[in-house]
Amino acid sequence: MPASQSAAPEVAITLPDGSVRRYPAGTTGMAIAASIGQRLAKDALAIQVNGKLTDLDQPIAADATIAIVTATQPAGLDLVRHDCAHLLAHAVKELYPDTQITIGPTIEDGFYYDFSPKEPFTPADLARMEERMALIVDRDLPVRREVWDRDEAIHFFNSRGEHYKAEIIADLPRGEIVTCYRQGDFIDLCRGPHASSTGRVPKAFKLMKLAGAYWRGDSRNEMLQRVYGTAWASEKDLKTYLTRLKEAEKRDHRRLGREMDLFHVQEEAPGSVFWHPNGWTLFRACETYLRRRLEAGGYVEVKTPQLVDRALWEQSGHWEKFREHMFTAEAEERIFALKPMNCPGAVQIFKQGIKSYRELPLRMAEFGACHRNEPSGALHGIMRVRAFTQDDAHIFCTEDQITAETIRFCELLKTVYGDFGFTDVHVKFSDRPPVRAGSDAIWDKAEASLQQASLAAGLSLTLNPGEGAFYGPKLEFVLSDAIGRDWQCGTLQVDFVLPERLDANYVAEDGQKHRPVMLHRAILGSFERFIGVLIEHFAGRLPMWLAPVQVVVATITGEADSYAGEVRKALVERGLRARLDIRNEKIGYKVREHSLAKVPVMLVVGKREAETQAVAIRRLGGNAQETLALGDALASLVVEATMPGTSEGATAGA
RNA sequence: GCCGCGUUAGCUCAGCCGGUAGAGCACCUGAUUUGUAAUCAGGGGGUCGGGGGUUCGAAUCCCUCACGCGGCACCA
């Protein structure tokens, strides 16, 4: 250390590897990075000082533990995306100066920026914006942080015609430091940090899509134009991401639904599914499976009417709280509604006769077809529809039984998800919504009991405030699919309200009438959505017990036709869904076709197999073949195709 | 519901400045009897989403409705 500088104050900087270096007080991240290496100085985007991310040019006054952040680290990548949002806004202001800018946060895999343009953007504008962004990177403009007086900032942005920005600042809590970042002529309100110059942003971004978005996310506000982009540390990462998107597109259930001939939708029945034979087979396999699990789980099954007089919905509260989602029909001067939920129907069954406490808990399942008039913009394939079948059940029980029933349900749900190949599940707890039925006292009780039961069931919950059903709080079970997307499927809701409104009661040990508690619960949620999730999760390659066609017996030559017929018959007799392909085509053609149709198993038979009573097994996805004696092949396929939860020795499901 | 975009043969898509519709796959017919992801040849098929308008003339331009797609808002 040079003696001449010993008088100047120094700071001790601890690097990520634990080493300590001394720098003059007031040094910057940039200086530190430069002292470590040229490469680091070039790649540096920001610095973490005692865990807090800041700009490279911020002076460091005291001893600190630091880390130089580059695009290869998560915090650095996030910063790149944030920089890209600014680049985009900068580009837009240059190209379309009378556009107002609003907000531009980072999101998973990228960023977006919301604008209020004079003329709506078109997809062609995206290319222009992207080009301009690259140009601004090339200019390598310095990016400067500025601290502004709040009122001056408001005045400044207003004077520039940036009224949204001014509004944001005006809404900042008093006392908050207002910082802006300036690059060239562009200035934006921003907390930062940012890279020190535009040239440091890797040119690995792409503007992806144009969308509408409400100002401040409120549908009562004006609609802004949102530009979505993706950004990565390198062009290679960008390419990997774009490939991933393409792969995800191939799993799209709407595309696979058509390719696998499972279902279709058409404009005369928006939001309703036409199930084709293949798709309906899959639907029924799910239903059969679930029915077995429910029977084993102590449920009874019922069926309640589709079309019910308005009077019942008024009594249940649906007419008041759910009216806009209900389809109605008029006949005989009465108004009927298609049921949007099964619960009121279930209560009617409960109310028949006198129930004793001895009958509780009464677990009443229904594969109920519900209709809800969802907003047109919400419809999506078979995942979000207007007519759907819930794997619904209502458990009528006492307050004391809530905990045990919750635990029991969670176990069942875990088993079912596991059988379908989902192991990654998390749970959200939704409490009272603004629009609700029932008193606060009842809600207090319902929320407390559900929370307590969740605790007892060992669930770890994330809170989802204000998202409960109008009649009670709920647990929402969210599963993650093969490519990491989340789907809300299962639910458990505690309801003290409907039994009251619909006057359900049972006779307790004291000989008096008491109110039961209702637990609304579903595991799949709706068959339609769940099947959509299954298709995407497995990319169409359904496990054998679910596959609409489990086996195709394909011949190589006409000489094997009659033997192939016998093989198929033997499969069908053992409960397998098997088809015969004796067309006059080459085997390669047949293999390709059935592979594209995602049939899990092909049994190829030619002259050799016919003579030796054998089959050549070819599995989807592989190109290996195994020749087995017919009997052995049948035995192993039967095991493979067996539905989970089927007792030993039983054959595969319907 | 809101914003933007789209709708052409069963599917995927082409069709430039308005001149009267095309490809590949699929389908049908014939030939081929084939050994693990496309055998060859021929053929049929579209009031260009519905309605209205501009024009001598509209798949193409304009208006409108429906549906779809991407988001937002809403939600199983």
Side-chain angles (χ1 to χ4, degrees):
Chain A
M1 196 169 301
S4 63
Q5 287 185 13
S6 60
E10 286 188 336
V11 289
I13 299 296
T14 308
L15 301 178
D17 65 0
S19 66
V20 179
R21 295 193 187 199
R22 305 192 71 83
Y23 292 91
T27 188
T28 63
M30 188 57 86
I32 296 171
S35 76
I36 295 171
Q38 243 184 331
R39 179 68 192 274
L40 187 64
K42 189 168 153 278
D43 291 346
L45 294 170
I47 180 172
Q48 211 150 30
V49 181
N50 296 326
K52 192 173 172 291
L53 201 67
T54 55
D55 295 310
L56 284 173
D57 60 4
Q58 287 299 297
I60 299 168
D63 294 355
T65 300
I66 66 108
I68 302 293
V69 174
T70 68
T72 53
Q73 291 147 288
L77 186 54
D78 193 64
L79 185 139
V80 163
R81 289 172 178 158
H82 196 177
D83 283 347
C84 282
H86 276 226
L87 283 175
L88 169 60
H90 190 168
V92 165
K93 285 302 284 184
E94 287 192 2
L95 292 166
Y96 317 96
D98 49 11
T99 295
Q100 288 191 64
I101 57 175
T102 71
I103 56 161
T106 62
I107 50 172
E108 199 180 350
D109 301 329
F111 61 94
Y112 67 77
Y113 211 112
D114 285 348
F115 300 99
S116 175
K118 273 258 156 44
E119 295 294 325
F121 298 139
T122 68
D125 293 325
L126 291 188
R128 295 184 66 198
M129 293 175 193
E130 202 176 296
E131 261 169 54
R132 186 57 65 103
M133 285 168 72
L135 217 62
I136 298 169
V137 171
D138 289 338
R139 284 185 213 151
D140 198 16
L141 300 168
V143 179
R144 299 272 177 259
R145 179 173 184 269
E146 297 174 359
V147 178
W148 279 69
D149 173 77
R150 177 201 164 92
D151 291 332
E152 275 176 35
I154 293 171
H155 179 76
F156 172 77
F157 280 107
N158 266 328
S159 73
R160 282 200 154 203
E162 298 287 5
H163 305 295
Y164 290 95
K165 279 289 171 199
E167 190 178 325
I168 293 169
I169 300 168
D171 284 355
L172 287 177
R174 289 243 162 236
E176 183 137 327
I177 298 171
V178 177
T179 59
C180 292
Y181 280 76
R182 191 189 288 274
Q183 55 194 49
D185 298 331
F186 178 73
I187 181 162
D188 196 0
L189 168 75
C190 187
R191 205 174 280 122
H194 279 283
S196 58
S197 73
T198 59
R200 286 182 179 256
V201 180
K203 271 200 236 168
F205 50 79
K206 185 172 166 59
L207 298 183
M208 303 297 286
K209 51 199 172 194
L210 213 48
Y214 295 107
W215 167 235
R216 298 199 152 165
D218 189 328
S219 60
R220 289 165 302 190
N221 290 342
E222 59 272 35
M223 173 87 34
L224 305 170
Q225 290 242 298
R226 176 172 296 178
V227 178
Y228 281 94
T230 188
W232 299 86
S234 65
E235 279 181 61
K236 186 166 156 267
D237 287 356
L238 172 63
K239 221 174 136 189
T240 305
Y241 171 71
L242 295 176
T243 312
R244 200 173 89 206
L245 282 189
K246 253 188 220 145
E247 290 304 312
E249 209 175 298
K250 283 187 199 154
R251 297 177 171 253
D252 191 307
H253 74 282
R254 293 164 300 188
R255 174 188 177 131
L256 287 168
R258 186 176 53 241
E259 287 175 2
M260 296 169 72
D261 196 14
L262 300 175
F263 56 80
H264 83 272
V265 288
Q266 68 185 49
E267 62 179 273
E268 287 80 358
S272 297
V273 185
F274 288 78
W275 288 101
H276 298 194
N278 281 343
W280 192 242
T281 301
L282 170 56
F283 191 112
R284 276 166 44 230
C286 293
E287 198 178 39
T288 301
Y289 159 76
L290 213 58
R291 196 166 263 140
R292 286 183 191 171
R293 285 285 183 220
L294 290 175
E295 272 166 17
Y299 287 76
V300 292
E301 187 181 326
V302 299
K303 198 80 174 174
T304 67
Q306 289 305 124
L307 210 49
V308 178
D309 193 293
R310 159 185 179 165
L312 183 66
W313 303 113
E314 283 173 351
Q315 203 190 344
S316 70
H318 285 82
W319 198 258
E320 190 191 343
K321 312 287 182 194
F322 212 72
R323 174 72 188 89
E324 74 269 31
H325 295 292
M326 291 165 73
F327 289 107
T328 54
E330 212 189 313
E332 296 174 324
E333 292 171 14
R334 295 165 71 184
I335 293 173
F336 296 87
L338 278 168
K339 66 175 174 182
M341 297 184 193
N342 305 302
C343 27
V347 175
Q348 303 316 305
I349 294 179
F350 181 86
K351 282 171 65 179
Q352 296 301 301
I354 296 170
K355 292 290 180 291
S356 156
Y357 71 94
R358 294 175 205 275
E359 295 173 68
L360 306 186
L362 177 55
R363 308 186 189 93
M364 195 184 284
E366 176 172 8
F367 295 138
C370 296
H371 287 78
R372 293 184 192 169
N373 192 359
E374 300 289 346
S376 58
L379 303 181
H380 176 86
I382 63 171
M383 301 279 217
R384 189 80 187 271
V385 288
R386 286 182 176 154
F388 55 96
T389 312
Q390 292 180 315
D391 65 318
D392 205 0
H394 298 91
I395 301 172
F396 297 89
C397 64
T398 66
E399 282 181 45
D400 293 344
Q401 291 166 336
I402 293 174
T403 299
E405 287 303 308
T406 299
I407 294 170
R408 197 185 162 100
F409 172 68
C410 289
E411 278 164 9
L412 177 63
L413 177 127
K414 210 177 145 195
T415 302
V416 170
Y417 284 176
D419 285 341
F420 279 109
F422 299 104
T423 48
D424 194 357
V425 181
H426 69 268
V427 191
K428 293 192 288 187
F429 182 93
S430 300
D431 60 13
R432 64 193 76 187
V435 178
R436 58 180 180 264
S439 68
D440 285 354
I442 281 184
W443 274 89
D444 289 342
K445 192 161 80 172
E447 285 169 0
S449 60
L450 184 57
Q451 208 131 33
Q452 197 190 337
S454 315
L455 199 70
L459 302 176
S460 62
L461 303 176
T462 53
L463 198 63
N464 199 18
E467 297 294 324
F470 75 78
Y471 45 74
K474 60 185 180 185
L475 298 179
E476 291 174 322
F477 297 85
V478 180
L479 49 85
S480 296
D481 71 11
I483 55 174
R485 290 172 305 184
D486 286 348
W487 301 100
Q488 197 212 302
C489 294
T491 182
L492 173 72
Q493 306 165 6
V494 177
D495 180 4
F496 288 92
V497 173
L498 278 187
E500 179 77 33
R501 294 192 71 123
L502 297 175
D503 193 27
N505 54 58
Y506 66 95
V507 178
E509 284 169 280
D510 61 7
Q512 302 296 305
K513 284 184 175 180
H514 289 261
R515 286 278 175 239
V517 179
M518 250 173 116
L519 304 180
H520 306 240
R521 40 106 300 166
I523 299 174
L524 308 187
S526 89
F527 283 88
E528 286 78 3
R529 165 174 294 183
F530 193 79
I531 288 171
V533 172
L534 276 179
I535 293 168
E536 302 205 353
H537 177 62
F538 289 110
R541 300 183 169 197
L542 295 162
M544 191 133 164
W545 68 277
L546 287 168
V549 178
Q550 297 170 315
V551 184
V552 165
V553 182
T555 50
I556 290 171
T557 151
E559 289 176 275
D561 284 0
S562 86
Y563 172 64
E566 288 167 32
V567 172
R568 188 217 172 213
K569 186 159 169 268
L571 288 163
V572 170
E573 278 168 358
R574 284 164 180 74
L576 284 144
R577 299 185 285 265
R579 286 191 192 162
L580 192 58
D581 185 355
I582 54 171
R583 289 174 304 170
N584 177 11
E585 294 290 352
K586 288 189 172 177
I587 192 63
Y589 180 89
K590 295 184 185 181
V591 165
R592 176 181 156 81
E593 200 162 274
H594 300 301
S595 298
L596 289 173
K598 313 262 192 298
V599 176
V601 173
M602 280 187 73
L603 297 183
V604 176
V605 297
K607 208 171 158 191
R608 287 205 298 268
E609 288 77 10
E611 281 165 357
T612 57
Q613 294 283 297
V615 289
I617 299 192
R618 184 190 214 282
R619 274 166 209 288
L620 180 60
N623 47 17
Q625 306 133 49
E626 187 188 8
T627 302
L628 285 182
L630 178 58
D632 296 344
L634 289 172
S636 74
L637 289 175
V638 164
V639 172
E640 221 178 306
T642 300
M643 185 173 273
T646 307
S647 50
E648 303 308 313
T651 54

